[in-house]
Amino acid sequence: SLTQRLSKVLGGLTGGGRLTEKAVDEALEEVRAALLEADVHFRVVRDLIARVREQAVGQEIVKSVSAGQMLVKVFSDELVGMMSSEGEPFTFAGGRPTVVLMAGLQGSGKTTTTAKLAHWLRTEHRRKPLLVAADIQRPAAVDQLKILGEQIDVPVFHVPGEPPEVLAELALAEAKRTGRDTVLVDTAGRLHIDAELMAELSRVRERVTPDTTFLVCDAMTGQDAVRSAEAFQQTLPLDGVILTKLDGDTRGGAALSVRHVTGAPVAFVGVGEKIEDLQRFHADRLVSRILG
Amino acid sequence: LLGSDTLDDATLDQMEELLYTADLGPAAADLMDALRKARAAGEVTEPAQVEPFLRDQIVDMLGDDVADTPVGSGPRVVLVVGVNGSGKTTTIAKLAQLLKREGRSVMLAACDTFRAAAVEQLGVWADRLEVRIVKRETGADPSGLAFDAADAAQREDIDVLLVDTAGRLHTATNLMAELVKIGRVISKRIPGAPHEVLLVLDGTTGQNAIAQAREFKQAVAVTGLVVTKLDGTAKGGAVVSIRRQLDLPVRFIGLGEGADDLERFAPAAFVEALFD
Ligand SMILES: Nc1nc2c(ncn2[C@@H]2O[C@H](COP(=O)(O)OP(=O)(O)OP(=O)(O)O)[C@@H](O)[C@H]2O)c(=O)[nH]1
Ligand SMILES: Nc1nc2c(ncn2[C@@H]2O[C@H](COP(=O)(O)OP(=O)(O)OP(=O)(O)O)[C@@H](O)[C@H]2O)c(=O)[nH]1
Ligand SMILES: [Mg+2]
Ligand SMILES: [Mg+2]
């Protein structure tokens, strides 16, 4: 664990002493390595280490706690502060259907997560969701969402031959007509450097003015997380991030980088392939995982 | 690439950032050590020498080309595995396209009988590429299907059988056991098969790729890697550590979502792209 690694480096400095600059630098090298192993972005690590270094040098070591434990607590507090958020993930519109837009890179878990969210909204908020199959590019993507919709008894809207922005607009009209109060739009995975597809996402947004836009991000993403998240944010102001596949053993450092660069809080985490495998995000849990 | 005209620490810092942000991980630390030693020894004295030096080091780390397992008579069986969403199904379509272009007969086995519309997805590709597919409804036993596909490929004198499997995290013990069973069942029908086990890695994945490679190799004797989504901005540097630690070579890289978007791995080109 990081605390053990730091205790080794700090030679068991305990209560009564103060952290010297040399001791802090050696310990910070250890933390830097741990954070990079955890896929936190290189620059985010550099800035974080600099901030903590300022706080740590000269700190008096509390009697009951080792220097290593104290330093881990400083980092933990700093990271939890970075990842926490106050708001609720959904803002429900009054008098018209709420629109939720899902976006992200290929294979990140959007389609599965869209269905999970529909199920969540029905069970936790007693909403009447309508799923929109607006990925017309991937083979059998529409089938995939339709099958998931059937599993959770939620209608899925799709009209063959229409582009995604038209599908979203038609779905909104359908929702109003049939009394569905939340419209969840699944979109095709796309690269943030694909100008055409990013423009398509903009068009979808313009047509239906989403109340909530989620970036669906794979928890095992490495250093590229910053680049892609930043680019998505520039096209589509993000309200939240959903971190998927956290049921694996990836440390999830990408989440820190994404929050840092977009400002969007992680709202939910995906912890499996089943419909129920969606949980509210807890900053302290992810932080202890990142710190290892 | 390097702004200064002296090989100073600032220049080295820039290089360090490039290496780490390419997901080179532990290899980045070793490369920086080698670079600092070379600078101290006077082997690398100007910024212009840094990139060629590092490129050589990384190409060395990627190792020599490894020959494919030879197949006697009968179909070559390729088992395609990896975590969820990495690009397995699409990679199989691309492999089928490539093999067809090389004049080989191809058969697909839709052994992801778990995920919604997985069978349908591979079915669309089979139709588009006009290749034989052995499939069954979602929920069928994947091992039974694998056996039947191997049997059909043998009897129909197919050159290459590509077996798609469900995405699974390497930490899911029961799913990894299922994968072992699929491999074993295939070998029962065709001794020596699967001749290739390709682990499909998402090019945007960070250090977890190493853990994935370790666990999948341990379970089903992975013979090579496919790194997908390198048409994005991710560099896929984790494969360097995977080669060093597990001796697994990269076979192909995925550069898009179409059937033609697959290339055989070329170390020099890959390393050059790291520095773009
Ligand atoms: N283990 C695990 N698997 C997940 C999770 N979320 C999604 N998946 C799986 O990840 C794979 C990709 O999920 P999809 O929902 O198809 O991803 P997508 O973003 O819609 O993919 P594209 O539409 O092709 O961009 C599937 O195998 C899902 O079952 C999760 O939280 N945990
Ligand atoms: N840009 C890009 N997208 C890719 C590449 N390879 C696959 N994809 C996309 O990634 C997404 C997931 O691909 P799949 O082939 O369904 O992945 P999979 O591993 O079979 O997924 P599961 O079976 O759900 O585990 C799809 O949207 C693909 O089009 C690639 O090389 N480049
Ligand atoms: Mg999808
Ligand atoms: Mg698949």
Side-chain angles (χ1 to χ4, degrees):
Chain A
S1 79
L2 183 60
T3 309
Q4 291 166 333
R5 282 160 77 164
L6 289 182
S7 297
K8 270 219 203 99
V9 164
L10 294 171
L13 287 173
T14 51
R18 280 184 185 281
L19 284 177
T20 63
E21 212 172 301
K22 178 167 183 294
V24 168
D25 280 341
E26 286 185 11
L28 291 183
E29 224 3 77
E30 204 63 36
V31 179
R32 179 175 175 265
L35 292 173
L36 288 171
E37 269 166 43
D39 293 324
V40 181
H41 193 268
F42 186 86
R43 286 198 185 167
V44 175
V45 173
R46 189 180 54 197
D47 298 346
L48 181 65
I49 297 283
R51 277 206 307 282
V52 170
R53 187 174 191 281
E54 256 179 63
Q55 296 177 43
V57 174
Q59 272 250 20
E60 178 176 359
I61 299 163
V62 173
K63 228 191 259 150
S64 60
V65 152
S66 78
Q69 282 171 319
M70 194 191 76
L71 204 51
V72 170
K73 175 140 198 327
V74 172
F75 270 103
S76 178
D77 289 347
E78 185 76 21
L79 294 185
V80 170
M82 280 174 76
M83 296 304 294
S84 296
S85 68
E86 290 300 319
E88 279 300 310
F90 293 105
T91 3
F92 296 119
R96 59 171 175 78
T98 298
V99 179
V100 179
L101 180 61
M102 311 291 288
L105 294 173
Q106 289 91 345
S108 60
K110 296 173 295 300
T111 303
T112 311
T113 304
T114 310
K116 287 178 180 179
L117 277 180
H119 179 71
W120 175 279
L121 286 163
R122 236 192 24 187
T123 51
E124 301 283 325
H125 297 274
R126 303 169 120 249
R127 304 290 292 186
K128 300 196 211 76
L130 174 68
L131 289 164
V132 186
D135 176 358
I136 59 171
Q137 179 258 346
R138 168 172 153 157
V142 174
D143 292 332
Q144 186 184 3
L145 193 62
K146 281 188 172 170
I147 290 168
L148 293 173
E150 254 168 67
Q151 286 175 7
I152 57 172
D153 197 24
V154 171
V156 179
F157 182 86
H158 182 74
V159 174
E162 296 292 354
E165 63 269 31
V166 173
L167 285 173
E169 206 171 34
L170 291 173
L172 191 49
E174 172 82 352
K176 288 178 182 155
R177 228 173 32 79
T178 58
R180 311 303 295 179
D181 59 17
T182 317
V183 176
L184 296 112
V185 186
D186 182 25
T187 62
R190 68 203 62 219
L191 294 178
H192 50 294
I193 54 169
D194 187 327
E196 232 182 86
L197 285 186
M198 292 307 278
E200 174 187 89
L201 207 46
S202 273
R203 284 198 299 279
V204 174
R205 173 177 165 237
E206 280 160 24
R207 293 269 193 132
V208 293
T209 331
D211 298 282
T212 304
T213 299
F214 285 122
L215 177 69
V216 179
C217 184
D218 194 324
M220 61 185 96
T221 309
Q223 299 283 314
D224 196 56
V226 156
R227 269 181 294 235
S228 51
E230 203 161 31
F232 271 92
Q233 169 82 307
Q234 284 172 5
T235 297
L236 267 196
L238 303 170
D239 299 295
V241 171
I242 301 182
L243 207 59
T244 62
K245 308 176 202 173
L246 261 178
D247 42 317
D249 60 0
T250 191
R251 300 266 289 281
L256 203 69
S257 317
V258 171
R259 174 69 195 264
H260 181 78
V261 80
T262 65
V266 180
F268 292 97
V269 294
V271 292
E273 295 192 75
K274 302 200 296 301
I275 287 293
E276 317 83 68
D277 294 332
L278 186 75
Q279 295 172 0
R280 285 300 306 275
F281 173 68
H282 294 279
D284 53 352
R285 286 183 211 167
L286 184 73
V287 168
S288 64
R289 178 178 180 137
I290 289 175
L291 287 174
Chain B
L1 184 73
L2 304 174
S4 102
D5 54 4
T6 56
L7 191 46
D8 55 4
D9 282 351
T11 304
L12 291 194
D13 286 350
Q14 227 184 328
M15 216 15 89
E16 185 180 44
E17 175 165 350
L18 185 147
L19 296 176
Y20 273 105
T21 55
D23 286 316
L24 281 166
D30 294 344
L31 288 163
M32 288 309 295
D33 276 350
L35 182 57
R36 290 200 173 93
K37 284 203 177 76
R39 180 177 67 163
E43 290 164 20
V44 177
T45 52
E46 328 158 354
Q49 296 171 326
V50 172
E51 190 176 318
F53 173 83
L54 289 173
R55 278 213 302 258
D56 286 346
Q57 295 281 322
I58 301 171
V59 169
D60 275 350
M61 287 176 175
L62 285 170
D64 295 327
D65 187 33
V66 175
D68 271 338
T69 318
V71 181
S73 60
R76 163 180 221 85
V77 181
V78 183
L79 181 64
V80 179
V81 305
V83 304
N84 306 76
S86 64
K88 298 175 291 300
T89 305
T90 311
T91 296
I92 284 176
K94 296 172 185 180
L95 283 170
Q97 175 76 297
L98 191 142
L99 291 164
K100 272 198 74 176
R101 287 238 168 81
E102 293 179 349
R104 323 265 218 93
S105 63
V106 180
M107 177 186 277
L108 309 182
C111 291
D112 178 355
T113 54
F114 170 73
R115 203 208 70 211
V119 174
E120 288 84 335
Q121 183 186 3
L122 194 62
V124 170
W125 282 115
D127 288 341
R128 282 185 191 173
L129 302 173
E130 297 181 340
V131 288
R132 277 272 282 124
I133 181 168
V134 175
K135 58 181 175 168
R136 211 161 276 166
E137 69 298 336
T138 300
D141 168 38
S143 293
L145 185 62
F147 186 92
D148 292 348
D151 184 68
Q154 182 83 45
R155 281 186 293 97
E156 292 176 36
D157 207 14
I158 293 286
D159 292 328
V160 187
L161 172 65
L162 302 171
V163 183
D164 194 12
T165 59
R168 70 202 68 219
L169 295 183
H170 52 291
T171 47
T173 329
N174 55 336
L175 296 182
M176 292 305 284
E178 173 189 87
L179 198 56
V180 173
K181 184 172 176 204
I182 291 172
R184 213 176 44 234
V185 156
I186 290 172
S187 71
K188 284 222 171 84
R189 180 58 189 86
I190 299 179
H195 308 92
E196 256 181 275
V197 178
L198 292 178
L199 173 62
V200 178
L201 292 174
D202 187 323
T204 66
T205 300
Q207 298 310 303
N208 196 247
I210 304 172
Q212 292 173 27
R214 180 165 295 119
E215 295 306 317
F216 274 92
K217 181 183 178 194
Q218 154 87 337
V220 286
V222 172
T223 59
L225 311 174
V226 179
V227 188
T228 62
K229 309 177 194 175
L230 290 183
D231 45 320
T233 50
K235 303 293 183 179
V239 301
V240 176
S241 299
I242 293 174
R243 182 70 197 252
R244 293 174 94 203
Q245 296 180 28
L246 302 164
D247 206 22
L248 287 175
V250 181
R251 291 299 196 198
F252 299 96
I253 61 173
L255 294 167
E257 302 191 66
D260 295 322
D261 297 329
L262 189 76
E263 281 180 11
R264 283 206 163 80
F265 184 64
F270 176 80
V271 173
E272 207 166 310
L274 288 179
F275 289 88
D276 279 344

